[in-house]
Amino acid sequence: PFRLFDNALENRKRGLHTRAVIIDELLNILIQAEQDDYELVWPGLTHRAWLTKRLETVASCIETHFPRHFLTGTPEMDRWTGRSASEMANGVREMVKWVVVPSAHTCEDFKARVNKYFAAALASEWGRFDRVSAENLFQRKGMMDRVASLVSAVLTAAVPILLLLLLSRLDVVAEPLLTYLTVGAYIWAALSLLSQLDPQYATKMAALKDLTKTFPLGKKDGGEG
């Protein structure tokens, strides 16, 4: 109960004092980043976990609470404000990638970006926040997933064909069985590709199978001689 009460108070604070919370979180990050030994603190996983929480608080405030301060009653305008806030929040979340998977110069770039956002929030110049669409935020991961899925589909489809070529070279299988196996291998390859590339393939095939059962093809009337 106390945790729920605390969460409710925190959410209330973010809703009423959105800008102040954003400034406070960014300032806390800057205070840490300006320490003389920050180069030694930066690599620590505990510190990076702390940074991700601070950044997500900023992003959440921008995405969830920021638009509520600018409700106009016009649906189109309110949707634009909400979309803009989400893109600004994604710009903040982009820095989480830097924290999780940093490169050689990430630390300095990170501090510069936090300074930029802090100054922007302090001056209420929200247009200085970088805006990243949801599609672009996860675009690289989505592309890698699609490539991996395609490679997996091709390999799965190619296995029976490769085995068939091996059997053919070894003269293990003779005609007409070889022809039957060849046709079967290519059918398997086609079906494997379809099942990998089309998530609804199995459902469509099941529906088609059920549909064909409704046609009286090949059925004989028991009353006919």
Side-chain angles (χ1 to χ4, degrees):
F2 292 106
R3 182 177 293 275
L4 291 175
F5 182 68
D6 183 62
N7 290 339
L9 285 179
E10 180 64 26
N11 192 58
R12 180 71 172 169
K13 181 182 73 173
R14 295 180 185 183
L16 291 175
H17 308 288
T18 306
R19 177 168 166 264
V21 172
I22 293 172
I23 292 172
D24 183 59
E25 294 292 349
L26 292 172
L27 180 60
N28 285 334
I29 295 175
L30 283 177
I31 291 173
Q32 292 289 323
E34 293 302 324
Q35 293 180 6
D36 293 336
D37 61 344
Y38 190 66
E39 295 293 337
L40 301 177
V41 177
W42 166 258
L45 295 181
T46 301
H47 178 66
R48 291 189 189 178
W50 179 84
L51 287 175
T52 58
K53 290 180 180 179
R54 304 283 76 76
L55 291 172
E56 181 53 37
T57 297
V58 173
S60 178
C61 280
I62 294 174
E63 186 172 46
T64 305
H65 302 290
F66 183 83
R68 297 175 184 174
H69 293 277
F70 300 97
L71 293 176
T72 64
T74 304
E76 293 79 7
M77 194 64 204
D78 291 342
R79 282 195 294 269
W80 178 87
T81 303
R83 185 167 58 251
S84 299
S86 292
E87 291 175 352
M88 289 163 56
N90 288 337
V92 176
R93 291 189 178 105
E94 188 78 16
M95 290 195 296
V96 174
K97 296 180 181 179
W98 298 2
V99 174
V100 176
V101 189
S103 60
H105 304 289
T106 300
C107 183
E108 292 303 318
D109 293 339
F110 178 80
K111 288 194 287 186
R113 183 68 63 87
V114 174
N115 262 302
K116 171 185 171 181
Y117 287 168
F118 174 73
L122 200 61
S124 287
E125 296 176 352
W126 304 105
R128 292 171 58 188
F129 275 73
D130 295 292
R131 291 167 58 170
V132 179
S133 66
E135 292 79 8
N136 290 336
L137 183 65
F138 301 106
Q139 185 176 23
R140 291 183 180 179
K141 183 178 183 299
M143 181 62 70
M144 291 300 295
D145 287 344
R146 287 193 290 270
V147 171
S149 178
L150 180 60
V151 171
S152 175
V154 171
L155 291 176
T156 302
V159 167
I161 297 177
L162 293 175
L163 288 175
L164 185 64
L165 290 175
L166 178 62
L167 292 175
S168 178
R169 284 183 174 275
L170 296 175
D171 291 328
V172 176
V173 181
E175 294 290 354
L177 181 58
L178 181 60
T179 300
Y180 296 147
L181 290 177
T182 301
V183 173
Y186 281 103
I187 291 176
W188 168 270
L191 294 178
S192 296
L193 284 173
L194 285 173
S195 63
Q196 289 286 338
L197 300 178
D198 184 1
Q200 301 298 322
Y201 169 74
T203 304
K204 293 175 183 176
M205 288 299 294
L208 181 61
K209 184 178 180 181
D210 292 339
L211 182 63
T212 56
K213 290 180 180 179
T214 64
F215 295 106
L217 299 176
K219 293 183 179 180
K220 293 184 179 180
D221 190 344
E224 292 181 359

